[in-house]
Amino acid sequence: KGIAYLKAGDYTAAIEALNSALKCADGHVSQTEFDVLKYRGEAETAAGDYDAAIETYSILLDVEKKPEDNYYLRGNVYALKGEIDLAAADFDKLVEAKPNDYAAYCCAYQSLAAAGASDRGKTYLDAALLIKDDRAVANKYRGMVQYLLGEYGNAVAEITAITGEKDAETLICLGMSYEKLGQQESAYNAYTQALNLENENAGVYNQVGLYKMRTGSYGEALDFFKKGLEFSDASTAERLMLNEALACEYNGDFAQALTVLQEYADTYGTNGEIDHELAFLKTR
């Protein structure tokens, strides 16, 4: 039940159900209890209860035999709170435990960048490029790191050096790199390949829709966002629904944009930007 509530975006109910699950453990700790705590930490983070999430991840760091991923999870919450030094301390422990894991370095950067500390986060990207890795997959990860560093030509060079079929994640990164370089046709080709590989991946539909928005094809963008909603979970659905509302607005369908944005606000809540946009749409 807790997982179901979490996937549906009802974080308060998720936390209550997961706490009930923990009570059933009766002091016995197994992998199930670790999983329940991870889901509870995720729900607490999504609900904005950062202190509770930090406490949950601290418990996991104390009791799990291999706690490395929890350093990222707790560090991310510290970053969300704006406690950059504490976040970086956890990320340092993460990459110390996983010195050859590109994803660990990228995740550390993205958390710090989202908190407004991108310069500090770039130290992790620079460190990732020093990994000695002769595997073919290393080109994929180095390409992603170069994209995050803003070195788009280097990103394209790394990814196009991959021999064999590229996965959807790699193709999305390639497409975004081409866009930054102003090579729109190459970007769209990369996105189309990603869509052909994973035609039930909501994130791919969202990315192609965003590309269509950037090129002014709002009607086509709307179709991609709607299609993506057919396959999305709660976190992806939030992004897709907001993008759907924006595509409706830019396409001139203000009434539908208001309907979708109001549904978004009812489901995910509002902020100053959403309230401003709702007020604008009500006047159209």
Side-chain angles (χ1 to χ4, degrees):
K1 285 176 68 176
I3 294 170
Y5 281 128
L6 176 60
K7 298 295 184 184
D10 190 343
Y11 305 120
T12 300
I15 293 166
E16 291 175 356
L18 293 165
N19 282 335
S20 296
L22 287 172
K23 290 178 183 177
C24 297
D26 196 25
H28 176 70
V29 178
S30 68
Q31 186 59 49
T32 300
E33 282 65 51
F34 294 152
D35 289 344
V36 171
L37 283 168
K38 286 183 186 293
Y39 283 119
R40 190 180 77 180
E42 183 180 348
E44 290 164 342
T45 303
D49 193 348
Y50 298 142
D51 289 336
I54 288 168
E55 182 178 350
T56 295
Y57 293 132
S58 297
I59 292 170
L60 283 164
L61 283 164
D62 286 339
V63 299
E64 277 203 294
K65 292 181 180 178
K66 294 184 177 181
E68 293 91 344
D69 290 339
N70 297 310
Y71 281 121
Y72 165 69
L73 294 169
R74 190 176 70 177
N76 183 59
V77 180
Y78 279 132
L80 288 169
K81 284 190 70 179
E83 297 181 2
I84 303 304
D85 289 341
L86 290 173
D90 273 352
F91 295 149
D92 287 345
K93 292 174 183 174
L94 169 67
V95 298
E96 180 182 347
K98 295 186 170 186
N100 297 315
D101 188 335
Y102 290 97
Y105 294 91
C106 290
C107 287
Y109 164 76
Q110 288 170 323
S111 289
L112 290 171
S118 58
D119 286 344
R120 186 135 181 205
K122 283 182 178 178
T123 61
Y124 294 96
L125 298 181
D126 292 334
L129 291 177
L130 298 177
I131 296 173
K132 297 187 183 302
D133 190 348
D134 295 327
R135 297 175 302 156
V137 74
N139 290 107
K140 166 185 175 175
Y141 295 117
R142 283 198 293 264
M144 291 180 172
V145 170
Q146 294 283 14
Y147 176 83
L148 292 173
L149 283 168
E151 299 291 342
Y152 307 118
N154 289 341
V156 169
E158 290 282 3
I159 293 173
T160 54
I162 297 172
T163 57
E165 190 175 89
K166 303 172 184 65
D167 61 24
E169 182 183 36
T170 306
L171 289 165
I172 290 295
C173 184
L174 179 61
M176 292 191 297
S177 299
Y178 276 131
E179 277 198 81
K180 293 292 187 179
L181 294 169
Q183 300 177 31
Q184 300 300 330
E185 184 176 350
S186 295
Y188 186 63
N189 287 338
Y191 294 141
T192 302
Q193 290 179 56
L195 201 58
N196 289 338
L197 279 179
E198 296 190 26
N199 61 7
E200 293 188 2
N201 186 319
V204 175
Y205 278 103
N206 186 56
Q207 189 61 52
V208 179
L210 289 171
Y211 168 80
K212 290 293 186 181
M213 288 271 283
R214 288 190 289 268
T215 58
S217 302
Y218 304 121
E220 292 181 57
L222 186 58
D223 291 338
F224 282 110
F225 295 140
K226 287 181 176 179
K227 190 68 175 178
L229 282 165
E230 297 177 16
F231 310 112
S232 61
D233 58 18
S235 60
T236 313
E238 181 175 353
R239 297 198 305 272
L240 282 161
M241 189 179 293
L242 182 57
N243 290 337
E244 180 188 359
L246 292 173
C248 287
E249 178 182 338
Y250 294 149
N251 204 37
D253 191 345
F254 299 110
Q256 183 61 22
L258 178 59
T259 298
V260 175
L261 193 60
Q262 188 62 64
E263 181 182 353
Y264 173 91
D266 292 342
T267 304
Y268 301 106
T270 65
N271 54 39
E273 186 176 347
I274 297 298
D275 288 336
H276 177 78
E277 191 65 21
L278 283 168
F280 167 75
L281 290 171
K282 288 175 182 177
T283 66
R284 304 300 292 178

